Amino acid sequence: MAEPESRPEPQPEPDWQRKRRLAAIFGDAVPEQTGDDTDRGEPGDARTGESASDAWLRAQVPPHHG
C-alpha cells in the first residue's frame, strides 16, 4: 500500500494580505480612516475659515431669514 503524500501545513494568512484580497473581491466598503477623523477637514474658504459645507448651508438660507 502506498504511503499518503505528506503536504505541508498551510501558513496562516497575514492580516494585511487578507484585507487586500477581500478588498479586491468586494471593494473597500468601509475605509480604515475617513475624512472626519483627520485634521484636513473639508475644503473651504481659507480667508474666513468657513468649511465648504458651512458655505453651502449659508447659501441655502432664504433671503427673509437673513
Side-chain angles (χ1 to χ4, degrees):
M1 186 163 185
E3 198 171 301
E5 188 176 317
S6 65
R7 295 184 183 179
E9 290 291 321
Q11 296 295 320
E13 185 177 32
D15 194 40
W16 68 269
Q17 203 170 34
R18 183 178 72 69
K19 286 181 181 181
R20 177 194 261 175
R21 180 176 51 82
L22 292 175
I25 295 169
F26 298 109
D28 193 11
V30 181
E32 292 288 326
Q33 186 173 26
T34 60
D36 60 339
D37 61 353
T38 64
D39 290 336
R40 289 180 296 161
E42 296 177 348
D45 189 351
R47 294 171 286 149
T48 64
E50 186 175 62
S51 72
S53 60
D54 287 343
W56 178 88
L57 183 60
R58 191 170 317 284
Q60 303 307 309
V61 175
H64 62 277
H65 285 287

